[in-house]
Amino acid sequence: MNQQTPEELSEQLLTQMQKWWGYPEFRSLQKASMLRVMRDQDSLTVLPTGGGKSLCYQVPAVARPGLAIVVSPLISLMKDQVDALCSLGISAGCINSSQSYEEKREVTQRIRSGQLRLLYISPERLVQSRTLEFLCGCNVSFVAVDEAHCISQWGHQFRPEYRQLSALRDHLPGVSVHGYTATATEQVRADIVSQLGLRDAEILVGPFDRPNLLYRVERRTDALTQIRDVLARHRNESGIIYCISRKNVESFSEKLNALGHRTRPYHAGLSDDQRMRTQEEFAEERIPIIVATVAFGMGIDKSNVRFVIHAGMPGSLENYQQESGRAGRDGLAAECTLLYSPGDAETWRFLTQDPEHPEVSEAAERSLRSMQRYCTGMRCRHAQLVEHFGQDSEHVNCQSCDICLRELEEVDDAEVLARKILSGVYRQGQRFGVAYTAQVLRGSGAKRILENGHQRLSTWGLLKNDSETQVKHWIEQLLSQKFLRQTGEYRCLELTQEGWTLLKQGGDVTLVRERRQEAAESHATKQWEGIDRELFNELRGLRTRLATQKNVPPYVIFSDATLRAVARERPVTPEQLRGITGIGEKKLEQFGAALLYEVDRWNRKLRHD
Ligand code: ADP
């Protein structure tokens, strides 16, 4: 066991993190987690996606002598991590089924010569007796099990191969084992500890909240328009749109492409080859938007996903947390919008019902109910999520969810507004749907409206100062409060008895106005303070060129956080560049000159202008 004091070890870890990664300080729990590895004491670290789990084993792997073994479930994940480490100048490699004989031999040689610091490997390959025998003579420093929840059948991504890892202890006695996961309920945590055979393990659970994510739930009224509203706030940025069914994936992707967005569909019905290509295009920033079922996500290490939209309600909060968690891994502001309709629960019930295993259906039903409570609840979304995962929420006002931002503000004169809308429906003869009614109220000169002579109605243009989306939402609100109902094949709007009473005599009604755009913009703009966006875009261009040259995804070269810091500080010397987060020695040596040249060019252009 390491005899150094915790202070000495921390200093050593920090020096390495600064040197290779260019990060000046630990994130929450990283130090404690790394110290366990340094002292050969088993541990399980639970941090949300983007919390910085990888560094918890990568930094000790560099700070300690010997070879660290990292168990990882997916080839794409291994490849990404190895690429990222190599770009930092750290000797890392992987062994998997997609490699040629030569590639495998090269890695084995680097292990034999004691050069390799981290070896990524799948669980099934690691436990093969040949692999274990070989590793026994290789000075293994510790074993890190990434995505450790895959070992538990209570988790949502059970991988039976992970179960074989319990054999490790017999073959590598004295080597500490460390698990890392983002999702872990008490039951899954206990299961990981027992299945991995962890001894006196400390379970380190970090804060589950992701303050950089802006959560919001919208009642789904017109999904395509609602999706486009979100996309309008994220021009040229990367994002994922999740749908429940393959059919929706295909249809949204097509419609969005027809409207000029660049998207690709992704679901289990596509060939492996197609899916891999799509994943690569997304990683390499050639395609900004993926429309997908839940099949998309694991193995996506892309850190600058700026928005995740759920076009339908996910089946559980665990899934929601995982999927929405793919946004903003770089710690910068990102937006997670969920479009919800009460019918979504029915779709899930249909998909998950299993008459032969009623206990499975019951568990799915419980998950659905928690998910529905989240969608309809009027409490801080961050607090609801954090509490669901068993932590106290300290957020009284998080300033990053629709509830706390008061995006849903009550309209002062709701009764007058409601009567305008009801009157509009009545004057049109109760023969038209939501979209048409909203257009008349907004004073549209559309052909159909003119043909019907509805521009002559006294209600035409009464709400011309509000957006069409807003007017549609008010109509929806009147529907859900039963002042209106929809009938017939064309879902025409009609007044109910309550609607008539409200129109003729007045009464109580609540309508809320959405201030979404403003709130989302202010959430993101705070992080852009002092940053020249044009320079940031130039730097992004440089990053793409460098990535193409090196044949790696752009985020492996620099994160968005680093580029933003460069665009804010505008460093002119290598020394100033060294002080920027994410620029370690190797990055400075490889790309420092290119960055300085770009900043200098920019400064000269500014002087010139
Ligand atoms: P996780 O594995 O928990 O999802 P990662 O390890 O991928 O998270 O980290 C998410 C992002 O945060 C990465 O871009 C990583 O380089 C960065 N990061 C991790 N630790 C730090 C730190 N101490 N300071 C700055 N950035 C960090």
Side-chain angles (χ1 to χ4, degrees):
M1 167 126 82
N2 201 310
Q3 297 304 316
Q4 288 170 286
T5 65
E7 289 72 27
E8 284 166 343
L9 288 173
S10 306
E11 198 50 47
Q12 195 181 335
L13 289 162
L14 200 57
T15 309
Q16 296 294 331
M17 193 167 81
Q18 175 84 58
K19 175 176 168 182
W20 300 103
W21 281 266
Y23 296 150
E25 52 197 34
F26 296 114
R27 286 209 187 140
S28 183
L29 218 74
Q30 280 182 327
K31 183 165 101 176
S33 173
M34 292 180 199
L35 284 175
R36 294 292 293 189
V37 181
M38 296 301 281
R39 319 199 97 179
D40 290 317
Q41 293 165 328
D42 289 357
S43 60
L44 172 62
T45 300
V46 188
L47 274 174
T49 311
K53 286 181 291 298
S54 325
L55 265 78
C56 293
Y57 53 82
Q58 290 170 343
V59 179
V62 179
R64 290 181 59 151
L67 172 71
I69 309 282
V70 184
V71 178
S72 178
L74 285 183
I75 295 178
S76 60
L77 262 185
M78 292 183 198
K79 197 175 158 305
D80 258 14
Q81 297 247 348
V82 170
D83 279 350
L85 286 166
C86 293
S87 85
L88 296 172
I90 297 166
S91 175
C94 54
I95 296 188
N96 63 53
S97 51
S98 74
Q99 286 171 313
S100 65
Y101 173 73
E102 273 69 39
E103 284 172 319
K104 280 183 201 145
R105 211 182 49 173
E106 194 254 333
V107 175
T108 326
Q109 268 167 0
R110 277 159 72 202
I111 297 175
R112 281 216 180 87
S113 67
Q115 210 191 67
L116 203 76
R117 310 313 304 273
L118 292 105
L119 174 70
Y120 283 77
I121 192 163
S122 67
E124 55 275 30
R125 185 165 288 264
L126 175 59
V127 296
Q128 280 175 8
S129 46
R130 252 187 15 203
T131 316
L132 285 168
E133 270 161 35
F134 169 68
L135 288 174
C136 279
C138 295
N139 190 21
V140 170
S141 50
F142 66 93
V143 176
V145 182
D146 207 4
E147 310 286 352
H149 57 276
C150 291
I151 206 169
S152 171
Q153 61 172 332
W154 308 113
H156 56 292
Q157 282 162 339
F158 178 46
R159 298 276 296 257
E161 317 83 88
Y162 262 66
R163 283 284 163 90
Q164 302 168 9
L165 290 172
S166 53
L168 275 182
R169 299 255 76 142
D170 302 332
H171 290 86
L172 296 170
V175 171
S176 63
V177 177
H178 307 269
Y180 302 85
T181 180
T183 6
T185 55
E186 294 276 354
Q187 196 181 22
V188 176
R189 273 174 222 163
D191 210 19
I192 295 173
V193 171
S194 85
Q195 298 286 343
L196 277 179
L198 300 184
R199 298 186 197 121
D200 299 325
E202 188 175 0
I203 303 183
L204 299 149
V205 185
F208 252 79
D209 191 32
R210 302 271 315 273
N212 62 319
L213 301 187
L214 170 63
Y215 294 114
R216 64 160 59 94
V217 180
E218 284 177 33
R219 180 70 190 260
R220 191 169 64 245
T221 49
D222 172 358
L224 192 64
T225 308
Q226 288 168 293
I227 291 172
R228 290 178 69 197
D229 283 348
V230 179
L231 300 189
R233 294 195 282 269
H234 295 279
R235 280 183 214 291
N236 297 323
E237 292 182 337
S238 293
I240 310 172
I241 303 171
Y242 280 109
C243 303
I244 305 179
S245 70
R246 293 177 192 181
K247 203 175 91 212
N248 281 348
V249 165
E250 295 284 353
S251 110
F252 279 128
S253 176
E254 261 169 44
K255 285 182 188 151
L256 289 169
N257 289 349
L259 289 163
H261 296 281
R262 282 187 302 133
T263 80
R264 282 266 192 282
Y266 187 107
H267 54 71
L270 300 170
S271 70
D272 283 356
D273 199 39
Q274 247 172 325
R275 280 190 292 164
M276 209 161 77
R277 255 205 324 267
T278 301
Q279 198 160 319
E280 268 171 24
E281 284 176 328
F282 184 58
E284 288 163 10
E285 311 216 319
R286 282 185 282 135
I287 283 290
I289 304 165
I290 300 293
V291 187
T293 59
V294 292
F296 181 76
M298 195 158 169
I300 303 300
D301 241 358
K302 189 169 162 58
S303 64
N304 61 347
V305 173
R306 294 268 73 84
F307 64 91
V308 171
I309 303 173
H310 279 78
M313 183 185 83
S316 72
L317 277 171
E318 280 73 13
N319 282 336
Y320 185 58
Q321 202 235 8
Q322 271 258 307
E323 289 150 22
S324 61
R326 295 191 175 117
R329 291 174 75 138
D330 50 16
L332 301 174
E335 191 179 338
C336 305
T337 298
L338 195 168
L339 306 180
Y340 155 82
S341 164
D344 293 343
E346 281 314 313
T347 311
W348 281 113
R349 278 187 196 111
F350 175 73
L351 292 173
T352 51
Q353 74 187 199
D354 183 353
E356 284 180 23
H357 297 99
E359 72 289 358
V360 175
S361 307
E362 271 166 38
E365 186 58 37
R366 272 197 303 278
S367 296
L368 267 183
R369 273 198 225 115
S370 310
M371 192 66 238
Q372 275 181 307
R373 267 199 300 279
Y374 174 83
C375 291
T376 50
M378 290 305 277
R379 279 188 59 227
C380 170
R381 312 272 180 209
H382 284 262
Q384 289 191 64
L385 280 170
V386 160
E387 285 167 13
H388 178 79
F389 291 101
Q391 285 187 343
D392 283 339
S393 82
E394 298 130 33
H395 303 277
V396 178
N397 184 338
C398 70
Q399 285 306 327
S400 54
C401 77
D402 50 356
I403 306 290
C404 294
L405 287 169
R406 299 188 186 285
E407 288 186 351
L408 305 175
E409 193 181 48
E410 272 193 37
V411 175
D412 287 338
D413 45 3
E415 188 184 321
V416 177
L417 178 59
R419 289 169 78 180
K420 285 181 183 171
I421 296 172
L422 295 176
S423 162
V425 172
Y426 166 62
R427 280 168 207 281
Q428 286 164 203
Q430 309 193 77
R431 288 188 297 113
F432 297 88
V434 177
Y436 184 91
T437 307
Q439 284 162 11
V440 174
L441 286 163
R442 289 196 66 246
S444 155
K447 193 159 160 254
R448 194 165 154 231
I449 291 177
L450 301 182
E451 276 167 10
N452 289 328
H454 285 163
Q455 78 281 15
R456 289 194 292 274
L457 295 179
S458 58
T459 45
W460 184 82
L462 268 185
L463 302 179
K464 61 176 178 295
N465 295 328
D466 296 288
S467 72
E468 189 173 323
T469 312
Q470 178 63 81
V471 177
K472 280 188 196 162
H473 282 167
W474 281 329
I475 297 175
E476 278 291 327
Q477 289 166 33
L478 291 175
L479 278 165
S480 71
Q481 290 172 60
K482 304 207 166 25
F483 292 110
L484 285 173
R485 67 171 162 249
Q486 284 175 300
T487 57
E489 190 189 343
Y490 299 109
R491 323 267 311 135
C492 295
L493 292 171
E494 247 181 39
L495 272 69
T496 59
Q497 193 50 53
E498 291 83 352
W500 280 113
T501 314
L502 183 64
L503 180 62
K504 300 281 174 225
Q505 300 162 19
D508 268 351
V509 55
T510 310
L511 292 173
V512 290
R513 181 188 293 280
E514 294 168 4
R515 301 163 43 232
R516 213 145 260 152
Q517 192 73 26
E518 282 164 48
E521 275 166 13
S522 81
H523 176 71
T525 21
K526 261 187 246 140
Q527 295 192 336
W528 282 102
E529 259 161 22
I531 299 176
D532 193 319
R533 286 203 197 208
E534 268 186 69
L535 175 55
F536 172 75
N537 285 333
E538 294 287 327
L539 294 169
R540 260 179 88 179
L542 170 69
R543 175 173 67 180
T544 309
R545 292 194 296 279
L546 294 172
T548 314
Q549 273 170 24
K550 303 260 166 215
N551 198 21
V552 289
Y555 57 83
V556 165
I557 305 278
F558 289 121
S559 70
D560 276 18
T562 300
L563 293 191
R564 286 196 197 182
V566 173
R568 185 186 287 115
E569 309 293 331
R570 293 205 228 141
V572 290
T573 65
E575 231 9 81
Q576 287 172 342
L577 208 48
R578 197 190 291 277
I580 282 182
T581 182
I583 302 191
E585 265 177 24
K586 173 90 177 184
K587 298 260 156 145
L588 187 66
E589 179 195 310
Q590 276 197 305
F591 310 122
L595 280 179
L596 290 176
Y597 176 78
E598 204 62 48
V599 174
D600 181 51
R601 209 165 61 98
W602 186 260
N603 285 340
R604 273 187 289 135
K605 181 172 163 269
L606 282 189
R607 279 200 295 273
H608 213 70
D609 290 346

